[in-house]
Amino acid sequence: MAEGVDPRRRIFLDLSAELPNHWRDLGRQLNVTDSELDTINANHDGNVKEKCYQMLLKWNQKSATPILDDLAKALCKIDRRDLVELVTPKDIPIEEEGAPSQGVKRERDHSEAGNEVSIFFIRMMFCH
């Protein structure tokens, strides 16, 4: 991926590749209307990855405060807990106490074992 790409758009691209059969369900969980989903479906006939990407862009555009927490929770609601870590990548700033919320909390331990533990806690935080 090219340098300078918005991390949120990169997340959307990654999710789009993983959600070919769930993009409408995810859109509904994110409060994208059926009318908007139908328009996206018609405009991108045959390209399911693009449909998902456009749906995520629509949600990002129309939400007053589109935060990745909401996206992670929506993934859990459609039983795609396996994708929660895509929504909480290492290059998104860690939420610090007293700092403005970025909607993402991560542990600072970047070791392989620490990363697995962090992913576990991220899933637990959003999916319960």
Side-chain angles (χ1 to χ4, degrees):
M1 185 77 42
E3 289 290 322
V5 173
D6 177 10
R8 191 174 297 254
R9 288 185 186 261
R10 187 176 18 179
I11 291 168
F12 294 171
L13 287 169
D14 291 345
L15 280 177
S16 296
E18 300 293 331
L19 289 167
N21 299 318
H22 298 47
W23 73 274
R24 277 185 172 270
D25 296 331
L26 181 61
R28 288 183 183 114
Q29 290 298 323
L30 294 170
N31 295 317
V32 177
T33 67
D34 283 337
S35 174
E36 290 167 328
L37 294 172
D38 290 342
T39 299
I40 290 168
N41 190 49
N43 289 343
H44 303 283
D45 190 37
N47 189 342
V48 181
K49 186 176 174 181
E50 185 64 20
K51 290 176 189 183
C52 185
Y53 181 73
Q54 292 299 320
M55 177 276 298
L56 290 166
L57 288 178
K58 175 61 78 175
W59 163 72
N60 191 59
Q61 182 180 53
K62 73 182 257 180
S63 179
T65 55
I67 57 172
L68 297 178
D69 289 2
D70 294 336
L71 183 52
K73 289 173 187 173
L75 287 166
C76 291
K77 288 180 182 177
I78 65 166
D79 294 323
R80 292 305 309 261
R81 289 168 183 83
D82 58 312
L83 299 177
V84 170
E85 65 247 33
L86 288 178
V87 182
T88 56
K90 293 177 187 172
D91 59 346
I92 299 290
I94 296 170
E95 184 175 294
E96 300 287 347
E97 264 199 52
S101 175
Q102 298 295 318
V104 177
K105 294 181 181 179
R106 286 198 52 85
E107 298 293 323
R108 284 203 177 271
D109 184 351
H110 294 293
S111 67
E112 192 169 317
N115 193 37
E116 289 175 18
V117 171
S118 295
I119 290 169
F120 171 77
F121 283 112
I122 289 167
R123 286 182 182 162
M124 293 297 291
M125 182 171 58
F126 292 116
C127 297
H128 293 284

